[in-house]
């Protein structure tokens, strides 16, 4: 059963590629960023709590984020596997996720690390800012998110590398080329099995 995580700096294309992987494997994609954005848009209690944090490019507190993911993974459609996008984002969240999954006798089976040079990330994010008008795609918030990625998120890859479950994917190229690299890496791990 594929229990996957896709990781990469903002602008690496992980959202786009994540959707493709999830579709191909018929597993739900669990994106904390999407959950937060939907709540902000709908003006829910959660949305009101996290809006300022997200707009500034900061991280939502671990406790809140991990509780949301736990609830989501307990839903029936995630029983046959899932693809996490944007969570875990720091080493504390890795611990939260490990605790939750090990309680079910499970663990992550694969981590896709999408890498792109910083200049490419910035270029793609600026393009998205003009196309989609995301409130957190200001120059300042982008810089904050990229530096948080390096300081907080990149270290989670060391943890997963030690477990031998990380595949590094070159994130520069056409959408199809990158998707091809991802499916080759998954196939080498016997996914889909
Ligand atoms: P994303 O779409 O993954 O770039 O997420 C957008 C924003 O949501 C981030 O900049 C954070 O403010 C918040 N967010 C998403 N996932 C997490 C997470 N795992 N931990 C904390 N904050 C998160």
């Amino acid at each position: 059963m594929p229990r996957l995580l896709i990781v990469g700096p903002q602008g690496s294309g992980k959202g786009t590629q994540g959707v493709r992987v999830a579709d191909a494997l018929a597993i739900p994609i669990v994106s904390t960023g999407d959950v937060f954005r939907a709540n902000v848009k709908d003006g829910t209690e959660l949305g009101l709590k996290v809006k300022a944090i997200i707009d500034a490019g900061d991280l939502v507190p671990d406790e809140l984020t991990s509780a949301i993911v736990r609830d989501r993974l307990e839903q029936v459609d995630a029983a046959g596997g899932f693809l996490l996008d944007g969570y875990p984002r720091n080493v504390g969240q890795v611990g939260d996720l490990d605790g939750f999954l090990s309680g079910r006798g499970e663990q992550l089976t694969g981590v896709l690390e999408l890498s792109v040079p910083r200049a490419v990330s910035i270029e793609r994010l600026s393009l998205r800012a003009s196309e989609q008008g995301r409130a957190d795609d200001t120059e300042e918030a982008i810089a904050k998110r990229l530096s948080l990625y390096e300081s907080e998120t990149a270290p989670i890859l060391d943890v997963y590398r030690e477990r031998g479950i990380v595949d590094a994917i070159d994130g520069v190229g056409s959408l199809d080329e990158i998707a091809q690299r991802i499916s080759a890496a998954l196939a080498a791990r016997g996914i889909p099995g």
Side-chain angles (χ1 to χ4, degrees):
M1 184 191 310
R3 284 184 291 271
L4 306 173
L5 162 66
I6 189 162
V7 193
Q10 287 69 27
S12 63
K14 74 183 161 66
T16 309
Q17 293 296 335
V19 170
R20 287 191 171 212
V21 172
D23 280 353
L25 298 175
I27 52 176
I29 184 157
V30 176
S31 158
T32 42
D34 283 351
V35 171
F36 290 139
R37 275 186 293 278
N39 277 275
V40 169
K41 185 161 167 273
D42 295 345
T44 66
E45 198 179 323
L46 172 66
L48 294 175
K49 224 186 267 182
V50 300
K51 184 178 185 326
I53 300 175
I54 292 175
D55 286 354
D58 286 321
L59 291 183
V60 175
D62 289 352
E63 216 179 71
L64 190 56
T65 309
S66 291
I68 286 166
V69 173
R70 266 198 309 274
D71 281 352
R72 179 65 189 88
L73 293 181
E74 274 166 356
Q75 286 169 34
V76 65
D77 66 328
F82 51 79
L83 174 74
L84 291 166
D85 168 7
Y87 177 94
R89 216 170 182 105
N90 59 29
V91 171
Q93 294 179 6
V94 170
D96 291 346
L97 179 66
D98 280 345
F100 171 72
L101 289 179
S102 66
R104 311 205 297 191
E106 296 176 352
Q107 54 192 11
L108 282 188
T109 51
V111 176
L112 296 163
E113 175 193 4
L114 214 49
S115 42
V116 294
R118 198 183 169 100
V120 175
S121 280
I122 292 175
E123 197 180 305
R124 290 183 185 168
L125 286 171
S126 311
L127 185 69
R128 187 174 74 185
S130 59
E131 283 173 1
Q132 299 179 6
R134 258 176 64 163
D136 62 348
D137 278 344
T138 62
E139 210 169 306
E140 205 184 343
I142 288 171
K144 167 93 69 72
R145 278 147 64 213
L146 287 174
S147 82
L148 271 179
Y149 180 80
E150 275 151 33
S151 62
E152 299 279 314
T153 308
I156 78 171
L157 289 163
D158 294 332
V159 177
Y160 290 131
R161 264 192 287 268
E162 270 179 33
R163 298 183 196 173
I165 58 170
V166 177
D167 287 305
I169 309 288
D170 176 2
V172 180
S174 71
L175 290 183
D176 284 341
E177 278 164 354
I178 300 163
Q180 213 30 63
R181 289 173 199 147
I182 292 175
S183 44
L186 291 174
R189 289 190 183 275
I191 300 168

